[in-house]
Amino acid sequence: GENVEQHPSTLSVQEGDSAVIKCTYSDSASNYFPWYKQELGKGPQLIIDIRSNVGEKKDQRIAVTLNKTAKHFSLHITETQPEDSAVYFCAASKGSNYQLIWGAGTKLIIKP
Amino acid sequence: EADIYQTPRYLVIGTGKKITLECSQTMGHDKMYWYQQDPGMELHLIHYSYGVNSTEKGDLSSESTVSRIRTEHFPLTLESARPSHTSQYLCASSDREGNQPQHFGDGTRLSIL
């Protein structure tokens, strides 16, 4: 069935360095790709999303890239800060009548 | 900031009790969802609704039931709680049109003794 694979499961980076999390999806009809950040004790919060008609989207220190041919998309965080420490989830959907398919999550640790 | 509220935040209760987890949103969203998540782990969809009087089961089989009598309210009920129901339950909502982001509440952490 449809699935989204997310790597790595844990990522530890030095404060100020960049972090990259990658997701691969199986359904070529997928056209919407959100990224969520979940802090301890809270629900996931949308941080950025991209639709299939766009290859890259940026919002300050956060960017997402999409490669439809290879069926993968990535989250890039530059100049990481302690408050970036959280669990990040990617997801994919092929339309409003379909559910989001979620990745398994990446625990991002920012070392001071 | 999204306005979606879940109560209680934490619940510790004995086996066999009936439990209702509340979820309310003030955004007028048609779509609502319940996910089950062990803390920091993968999200599993257990129920969703496209609007009033619409409820569907998600990918993960669950003994819980839901109702959607009002647009803003999507409660989840466990008729007889068991230790295997111990988990975190997250409620979310989204707008109907096109692919829209889901807005999450902060969850209910449920422990069944």
Side-chain angles (χ1 to χ4, degrees):
Chain A
E2 306 157 19
N3 73 300
V4 173
E5 292 187 1
Q6 183 171 347
H7 299 281
S9 57
T10 304
L11 178 60
S12 183
V13 301
Q14 205 69 39
E15 182 179 349
D17 288 350
S18 296
V20 180
I21 303 170
K22 298 181 180 179
C23 287
T24 303
Y25 58 98
S26 61
D27 193 335
S28 57
S30 296
N31 57 15
Y32 175 63
F33 309 91
W35 284 91
Y36 287 80
K37 175 184 180 183
Q38 186 176 26
E39 297 175 332
L40 202 60
K42 302 222 167 171
Q45 299 295 312
L46 180 78
I47 55 172
I48 197 166
D49 57 8
I50 193 168
R51 300 177 194 273
S52 58
N53 59 346
V54 175
E56 183 173 358
K57 185 175 178 181
K58 191 172 180 182
D59 182 3
Q60 300 183 349
R61 297 186 297 109
I62 293 172
V64 56
T65 58
L66 171 65
N67 183 328
K68 288 186 290 184
T69 303
K71 291 192 286 187
H72 67 70
F73 56 112
S74 300
L75 177 72
H76 305 254
I77 305 174
T78 58
E79 300 171 15
T80 53
Q81 300 169 4
E83 54 265 35
D84 294 329
S85 292
V87 179
Y88 291 80
F89 292 95
C90 65
S93 171
K94 58 183 181 181
S96 59
N97 292 326
Y98 297 89
Q99 303 308 319
L100 281 175
I101 308 299
W102 293 83
T106 296
K107 183 175 182 179
L108 177 61
I109 301 165
I110 307 301
K111 296 181 291 186
Chain B
E1 191 72 26
D3 294 318
I4 181 163
Y5 307 101
Q6 291 186 242
T7 57
R9 286 297 315 278
Y10 304 92
L11 180 61
V12 181
I13 201 165
T15 298
K17 301 291 187 182
K18 180 179 179 178
I19 298 165
T20 296
L21 307 184
E22 302 287 349
C23 176
S24 294
Q25 51 97 4
T26 60
M27 297 167 284
H29 286 166
D30 286 315
K31 295 181 181 179
M32 294 191 75
Y33 315 83
W34 276 103
Y35 289 89
Q36 186 172 338
Q37 181 194 34
D38 290 328
M41 304 295 285
E42 192 169 355
L43 284 83
H44 297 283
L45 181 68
I46 52 175
H47 298 284
Y48 59 99
S49 167
Y50 284 154
V52 171
N53 294 326
S54 152
T55 60
E56 302 286 345
K57 289 190 177 294
D59 301 325
L60 181 68
S61 175
S62 174
E63 293 168 348
S64 59
T65 58
V66 292
S67 62
R68 189 87 184 276
I69 299 172
R70 303 198 315 264
T71 298
E72 62 271 21
H73 196 212
F74 192 39
L76 181 145
T77 298
L78 279 164
E79 289 294 333
S80 180
R82 294 207 299 266
S84 60
H85 297 140
T86 294
S87 189
Q88 175 165 255
Y89 293 83
L90 290 163
C91 180
S93 71
S94 67
D95 207 350
R96 171 183 286 275
E97 297 302 324
N99 280 311
Q100 296 297 329
Q102 294 183 14
H103 301 273
F104 282 83
D106 284 335
T108 293
R109 185 80 62 90
L110 179 63
S111 294
I112 309 300
L113 304 178

